[in-house]
Amino acid sequence: MTIATNQPAGIANMSNRDVLLELERLRVSGEKKLVIWRACLDLAQNALKTVILVNGAAVVSIIAFAETRGLTNSLEYGALLFAFGVALGVVASFMAYLSQYEVLMNSEETDGIVFSRRGKRLAGIVACFMSLACFLAGVYLSVQGIHSN
């Protein structure tokens, strides 16, 4: 009489030592994937924090500069772009949260790491790059406003 198991093909023919070695190899492989996954998440979090921080600091700097020298149209538009960059950074963070939440829900259902659908992830990446573009355009306009002042 044979008992049906969910073991991979060939594992029944392996010695105890070979089974232990295979289990250790699978454990190490899983840990390696988790380390890489965590590193990717840390880099993404740092990128989001950076775009929010630099745009927010730029808005504060323009306000402080405007207090002493006055505000030109270029400085106004620069400050507006910096503020818009902060908003896009927040949108990117929210999309990252939604994407990670979806990964968590899918992984609980399937007992493994599942990537989220591309929409939320792509929207977050685009928002982050647009925030960076707002910063660069804001810097350009601010420099023009300072030189005309």
Side-chain angles (χ1 to χ4, degrees), residues 12-99:
N13 298 331
M14 297 172 82
S15 69
N16 285 341
R17 181 178 177 272
D18 290 338
V19 169
L20 290 175
L21 287 173
E22 180 64 17
L23 287 174
E24 181 64 15
R25 187 191 66 76
L26 290 172
R27 184 190 65 77
V28 168
S29 174
E31 284 182 13
K32 180 181 173 184
K33 287 178 185 176
L34 286 175
V35 167
I36 293 169
W37 180 262
R38 187 69 202 146
C40 288
L41 288 177
D42 288 344
L43 288 170
Q45 287 174 344
N46 287 337
L48 293 172
K49 289 175 188 177
T50 300
V51 296
I52 293 171
L53 180 67
V54 297
N55 279 300
V59 170
V60 171
S61 298
I62 293 229
I63 292 170
F65 182 81
E67 292 273 325
T68 60
R69 294 243 185 120
L71 196 60
T72 64
N73 281 344
S74 291
L75 284 174
E76 276 184 34
Y77 291 129
L80 188 62
L81 281 171
F82 292 136
F84 193 60
V86 170
L88 284 169
V90 171
V91 167
S93 296
F94 184 66
M95 295 313 275
Y97 165 78
L98 290 177
S99 178

